[in-house]
Amino acid sequence: MYKIVKKQILNEYVTLMEIDAPFVAKKAKAGQFIILRVDENGERIPLTIADYNREKGTITIIFQIVGATTAKLNEKKEGEYICDFAGPLGTPSETEGFKKVAVIAGGVGSAIAYPTAKQLHMDGAIVHAVAGFRNKNLVILEEEFKSCCDKFIVMTDDGSYGEKGLVTDALKKLIESGEKYDRVIAIGPLVMMKFVCKLTKEYDIKTIVSMNPVMIDGTGMCGGCRLTVGGKTKFACVDGPDFDGHQVDFDEAIARSGIYKDFERQSHEHICNLLKEQKN
Amino acid sequence: MANLSLKKNEMPVQKADVRNKNFNEVALGYTEEQAVAEAERCLSCKNKPCITGCPVAINIPAFIEKVRERNFEGAYEILIKSSSLPAVCGRVCPQENQCEAKCVRGIKGEPVAIGRLERFVADYHMAHSKNQPEKSKSNGHKVAVIGSGPSGLTCAGELAKMGYDVTIFEALHLAGGVLVYGIPEFRLPKEIVRKEIENLKSLGVNVLTNMVIGKVLSIDELLNEEGFDAVYIGTGAGLPRFMEIPGENLNGVYSANEFLTRTNLMKAYIENSDTPIKKSKNVAVVGGGNVAMDAARCAKRLGAENVYIIYRRSLEEMPARKEEVEHAGEEGIIFKILTNPTEILNDGTGFVGGIKCTEMELGEPDISGRRRPIEKKNSEFTLEVDCVIMSIGTSPNPLIRNTTKGLDTNEKGCIITSDRRGITSREGVFAGGDAVTGAATVILAMGAGKDAALAIDDYIKNK
């Protein structure tokens, strides 16, 4: 059992938890992920490591409530326990040796982009970050980004905060204004990453994306997380989750991400109803 | 007077058209009377050829004699001296190629049903014995066992009995390896595996789950920082292979590993499981091994109307156990032999719509000794399916070999050992089971775990 030592609601849909997992904390690096199970009948879900504290032996996860498992996880309180927590899995992000990097984050993807931005900053790069959200209420980690980025731009779809528009608009503006990036890192919804890659290809800037497909074991055993990169099949859990975005077949990845959509919606509704009944 | 019947005593099974709709165990096991009657078929012959056919050399005639005497606990005592998981082996061992293949009764008629008797004795013990095995006196030495499949469990059990302080590191959330994620409930009830692991715990074995060695700790850290005197690698062959044909990444194409893990380990077939599995109408399973049979039979139980086994050679070359092939056939699995898939078709929405195949014929034998399948010209056809399960083999996971300097592996990624006792190129590091041999059987992995335990004992004593 793994103790939830801290819980913080970041917005209506996104929660932060700090989990006591000393073995994982000792080894964790930016870009890696963990797999957790909330309770005995629970499914295994992958979540990227948002932060770690080696002294305290804790791992921070930030998750969006999308399905039954994240809804159940969100019901857990500080001081309570979750059943399973395994990691660190996957290959760490490459963060050393860059002069100037643009980190592009979308929605809850900011939770994954932040530790990478922080590590890039610690490794000596100038970091510009652009984070996009639907509206002002959904903005997360603003202070954290500001603390490690030389430039931080918030974009909202409706213009209720920061600038109105898409993250690609901001990135294009930065590049056009003469910023020379030796690397772009895009983390967020598949569609966002696809369009960031389309843009950076025009300017020939190598772009790394962080893929977060459906998976079970996270150790290369099931192959559920496979995707096509440069015409070859790769497993996101062991070969990634970071990949060269210009090589990723996003259309296939988008199709694959939809396999359990119906099931997810049903079980999410089921859990929500159960929780409502419990509360009444 | 020996029972001279040429046929084995039948073991009761669930009816095919009932069992293909549930996940309860197919075979129901002998009654005491049936077991004694079968034991009486053993001639207690002088040469005991059956023992040479057993990878862990169980004293088979001796345990059968105890069954004949209705001393079932006595029979169990004999089994457990050689095999640490008799309830498992009695169910999943390919006895027809091992002990029973050597039985003299098999020369004229059927051999003694050694597997069924082993299963009976182990089940009898589980149902009747209250005694937990006792912890041996500690010798003060620590051994790490990586992986809790048949090989790791056996090695851990043997070492614990010798007095070693053993810790098993398991990557998944539940111990048992392929016994829990791969082999389905209807062939090996998970309660049996759980009890075997409880037994190991009462022997003093410490089981740590959620520990992915190679990520959370390396072999070097186990030896140099965590104070283990030796490490046994029993990590199996868990990496799925795909055919590399067009359409393999469509939704509805699973590796057998994924399909079985969702079904067995994550219990996707139970209503209250949070893990989804696609409900399919027509399923094609590609491959002819035991895993393919398991996947096909699971798919049927999950409600598929038509389940096909697509295999490129003929029934004769099929690597699955005869009993599994027969059980699958009885349950309504359709065998498309001498058939090879060439493409998986898109239904237009990113899901599987069909599988394109060609017919094959058999040519000259290849290196494996089996006749090589050759494509028949103009024989292409399409099978309408909405799910494809690839069951064409697995290879060892690279996590450990990529993080352990000086650990030699071959071109297939299998760990190289200098002899059958599991000695690797790294001092203090031993290996066995599928991680060394590539995908093989439960009993061979157990044999390797047992041999390696002796080698580890030798190594630590002489260090």
PDB file of all heavy atoms in Angstrom, chain B residues 143-161:
ATOM      1  N   VAL B 143      19.313 -14.068  -0.662  1.00  0.00           N
ATOM      2  CA  VAL B 143      19.272 -14.278  -2.115  1.00  0.00           C
ATOM      3  C   VAL B 143      18.061 -13.538  -2.688  1.00  0.00           C
ATOM      4  O   VAL B 143      16.977 -13.579  -2.115  1.00  0.00           O
ATOM      5  CB  VAL B 143      19.188 -15.780  -2.477  1.00  0.00           C
ATOM      6  CG1 VAL B 143      19.161 -15.962  -3.991  1.00  0.00           C
ATOM      7  CG2 VAL B 143      20.349 -16.567  -1.878  1.00  0.00           C
ATOM      8  N   ALA B 144      18.299 -12.851  -3.811  1.00  0.00           N
ATOM      9  CA  ALA B 144      17.205 -12.159  -4.501  1.00  0.00           C
ATOM     10  C   ALA B 144      16.752 -13.005  -5.684  1.00  0.00           C
ATOM     11  O   ALA B 144      17.583 -13.494  -6.442  1.00  0.00           O
ATOM     12  CB  ALA B 144      17.676 -10.797  -5.007  1.00  0.00           C
ATOM     13  N   VAL B 145      15.446 -13.175  -5.822  1.00  0.00           N
ATOM     14  CA  VAL B 145      14.884 -13.894  -6.968  1.00  0.00           C
ATOM     15  C   VAL B 145      14.041 -12.894  -7.755  1.00  0.00           C
ATOM     16  O   VAL B 145      13.152 -12.256  -7.191  1.00  0.00           O
ATOM     17  CB  VAL B 145      14.019 -15.086  -6.502  1.00  0.00           C
ATOM     18  CG1 VAL B 145      13.258 -15.696  -7.679  1.00  0.00           C
ATOM     19  CG2 VAL B 145      14.893 -16.146  -5.825  1.00  0.00           C
ATOM     20  N   ILE B 146      14.367 -12.750  -9.044  1.00  0.00           N
ATOM     21  CA  ILE B 146      13.645 -11.770  -9.859  1.00  0.00           C
ATOM     22  C   ILE B 146      12.628 -12.487 -10.725  1.00  0.00           C
ATOM     23  O   ILE B 146      12.975 -13.310 -11.557  1.00  0.00           O
ATOM     24  CB  ILE B 146      14.619 -10.957 -10.717  1.00  0.00           C
ATOM     25  CG1 ILE B 146      15.693 -10.363  -9.809  1.00  0.00           C
ATOM     26  CG2 ILE B 146      13.884  -9.856 -11.472  1.00  0.00           C
ATOM     27  CD1 ILE B 146      16.851  -9.794 -10.547  1.00  0.00           C
ATOM     28  N   GLY B 147      11.377 -12.175 -10.489  1.00  0.00           N
ATOM     29  CA  GLY B 147      10.289 -12.822 -11.214  1.00  0.00           C
ATOM     30  C   GLY B 147       9.649 -13.897 -10.352  1.00  0.00           C
ATOM     31  O   GLY B 147      10.337 -14.653  -9.675  1.00  0.00           O
ATOM     32  N   SER B 148       8.311 -13.933 -10.355  1.00  0.00           N
ATOM     33  CA  SER B 148       7.616 -14.892  -9.492  1.00  0.00           C
ATOM     34  C   SER B 148       6.814 -15.893 -10.307  1.00  0.00           C
ATOM     35  O   SER B 148       5.779 -16.366  -9.887  1.00  0.00           O
ATOM     36  CB  SER B 148       6.722 -14.153  -8.511  1.00  0.00           C
ATOM     37  OG  SER B 148       5.706 -13.470  -9.207  1.00  0.00           O
ATOM     38  N   GLY B 149       7.323 -16.214 -11.493  1.00  0.00           N
ATOM     39  CA  GLY B 149       6.721 -17.288 -12.285  1.00  0.00           C
ATOM     40  C   GLY B 149       7.193 -18.631 -11.759  1.00  0.00           C
ATOM     41  O   GLY B 149       7.798 -18.711 -10.683  1.00  0.00           O
ATOM     42  N   PRO B 150       6.903 -19.708 -12.497  1.00  0.00           N
ATOM     43  CA  PRO B 150       7.235 -21.055 -12.025  1.00  0.00           C
ATOM     44  C   PRO B 150       8.710 -21.234 -11.659  1.00  0.00           C
ATOM     45  O   PRO B 150       9.029 -21.896 -10.660  1.00  0.00           O
ATOM     46  CB  PRO B 150       6.861 -21.954 -13.198  1.00  0.00           C
ATOM     47  CG  PRO B 150       6.368 -21.090 -14.285  1.00  0.00           C
ATOM     48  CD  PRO B 150       6.170 -19.723 -13.773  1.00  0.00           C
ATOM     49  N   SER B 151       9.586 -20.640 -12.447  1.00  0.00           N
ATOM     50  CA  SER B 151      11.013 -20.807 -12.198  1.00  0.00           C
ATOM     51  C   SER B 151      11.449 -20.083 -10.925  1.00  0.00           C
ATOM     52  O   SER B 151      12.125 -20.656 -10.062  1.00  0.00           O
ATOM     53  CB  SER B 151      11.751 -20.290 -13.432  1.00  0.00           C
ATOM     54  OG  SER B 151      13.056 -20.042 -13.151  1.00  0.00           O
ATOM     55  N   GLY B 152      11.031 -18.832 -10.783  1.00  0.00           N
ATOM     56  CA  GLY B 152      11.389 -18.057  -9.595  1.00  0.00           C
ATOM     57  C   GLY B 152      10.787 -18.641  -8.329  1.00  0.00           C
ATOM     58  O   GLY B 152      11.460 -18.732  -7.288  1.00  0.00           O
ATOM     59  N   LEU B 153       9.528 -19.065  -8.392  1.00  0.00           N
ATOM     60  CA  LEU B 153       8.865 -19.636  -7.211  1.00  0.00           C
ATOM     61  C   LEU B 153       9.588 -20.903  -6.756  1.00  0.00           C
ATOM     62  O   LEU B 153       9.823 -21.109  -5.558  1.00  0.00           O
ATOM     63  CB  LEU B 153       7.400 -19.970  -7.510  1.00  0.00           C
ATOM     64  CG  LEU B 153       6.443 -18.808  -7.758  1.00  0.00           C
ATOM     65  CD1 LEU B 153       5.048 -19.324  -8.076  1.00  0.00           C
ATOM     66  CD2 LEU B 153       6.388 -17.857  -6.556  1.00  0.00           C
ATOM     67  N   THR B 154       9.970 -21.748  -7.723  1.00  0.00           N
ATOM     68  CA  THR B 154      10.647 -22.996  -7.377  1.00  0.00           C
ATOM     69  C   THR B 154      12.004 -22.719  -6.752  1.00  0.00           C
ATOM     70  O   THR B 154      12.355 -23.271  -5.709  1.00  0.00           O
ATOM     71  CB  THR B 154      10.829 -23.863  -8.644  1.00  0.00           C
ATOM     72  OG1 THR B 154       9.560 -24.028  -9.245  1.00  0.00           O
ATOM     73  CG2 THR B 154      11.415 -25.214  -8.297  1.00  0.00           C
ATOM     74  N   CYS B 155      12.768 -21.836  -7.392  1.00  0.00           N
ATOM     75  CA  CYS B 155      14.097 -21.505  -6.884  1.00  0.00           C
ATOM     76  C   CYS B 155      13.983 -20.941  -5.465  1.00  0.00           C
ATOM     77  O   CYS B 155      14.720 -21.339  -4.565  1.00  0.00           O
ATOM     78  CB  CYS B 155      14.761 -20.509  -7.827  1.00  0.00           C
ATOM     79  SG  CYS B 155      16.473 -20.183  -7.427  1.00  0.00           S
ATOM     80  N   ALA B 156      13.027 -20.030  -5.265  1.00  0.00           N
ATOM     81  CA  ALA B 156      12.840 -19.407  -3.952  1.00  0.00           C
ATOM     82  C   ALA B 156      12.483 -20.461  -2.903  1.00  0.00           C
ATOM     83  O   ALA B 156      13.022 -20.457  -1.783  1.00  0.00           O
ATOM     84  CB  ALA B 156      11.739 -18.352  -4.038  1.00  0.00           C
ATOM     85  N   GLY B 157      11.584 -21.363  -3.255  1.00  0.00           N
ATOM     86  CA  GLY B 157      11.154 -22.402  -2.318  1.00  0.00           C
ATOM     87  C   GLY B 157      12.308 -23.302  -1.907  1.00  0.00           C
ATOM     88  O   GLY B 157      12.504 -23.589  -0.721  1.00  0.00           O
ATOM     89  N   GLU B 158      13.090 -23.729  -2.890  1.00  0.00           N
ATOM     90  CA  GLU B 158      14.224 -24.616  -2.598  1.00  0.00           C
ATOM     91  C   GLU B 158      15.234 -23.924  -1.692  1.00  0.00           C
ATOM     92  O   GLU B 158      15.736 -24.505  -0.734  1.00  0.00           O
ATOM     93  CB  GLU B 158      14.917 -25.034  -3.907  1.00  0.00           C
ATOM     94  CG  GLU B 158      14.060 -25.888  -4.828  1.00  0.00           C
ATOM     95  CD  GLU B 158      13.720 -27.255  -4.247  1.00  0.00           C
ATOM     96  OE1 GLU B 158      14.585 -27.847  -3.575  1.00  0.00           O
ATOM     97  OE2 GLU B 158      12.573 -27.714  -4.454  1.00  0.00           O
ATOM     98  N   LEU B 159      15.523 -22.658  -1.994  1.00  0.00           N
ATOM     99  CA  LEU B 159      16.509 -21.917  -1.203  1.00  0.00           C
ATOM    100  C   LEU B 159      16.002 -21.679   0.222  1.00  0.00           C
ATOM    101  O   LEU B 159      16.760 -21.778   1.189  1.00  0.00           O
ATOM    102  CB  LEU B 159      16.845 -20.586  -1.878  1.00  0.00           C
ATOM    103  CG  LEU B 159      17.681 -20.696  -3.160  1.00  0.00           C
ATOM    104  CD1 LEU B 159      17.649 -19.389  -3.934  1.00  0.00           C
ATOM    105  CD2 LEU B 159      19.128 -21.089  -2.851  1.00  0.00           C
ATOM    106  N   ALA B 160      14.715 -21.371   0.336  1.00  0.00           N
ATOM    107  CA  ALA B 160      14.144 -21.115   1.664  1.00  0.00           C
ATOM    108  C   ALA B 160      14.238 -22.374   2.522  1.00  0.00           C
ATOM    109  O   ALA B 160      14.545 -22.304   3.719  1.00  0.00           O
ATOM    110  CB  ALA B 160      12.696 -20.652   1.535  1.00  0.00           C
ATOM    111  N   LYS B 161      13.989 -23.529   1.903  1.00  0.00           N
ATOM    112  CA  LYS B 161      14.084 -24.783   2.649  1.00  0.00           C
ATOM    113  C   LYS B 161      15.506 -25.016   3.141  1.00  0.00           C
ATOM    114  O   LYS B 161      15.725 -25.641   4.172  1.00  0.00           O
ATOM    115  CB  LYS B 161      13.640 -25.961   1.768  1.00  0.00           C
ATOM    116  CG  LYS B 161      12.128 -26.047   1.565  1.00  0.00           C
ATOM    117  CD  LYS B 161      11.770 -27.274   0.705  1.00  0.00           C
ATOM    118  CE  LYS B 161      10.505 -27.021  -0.092  1.00  0.00           C
ATOM    119  NZ  LYS B 161      10.358 -27.964  -1.215  1.00  0.00           N
TER     120      LYS B 161
END
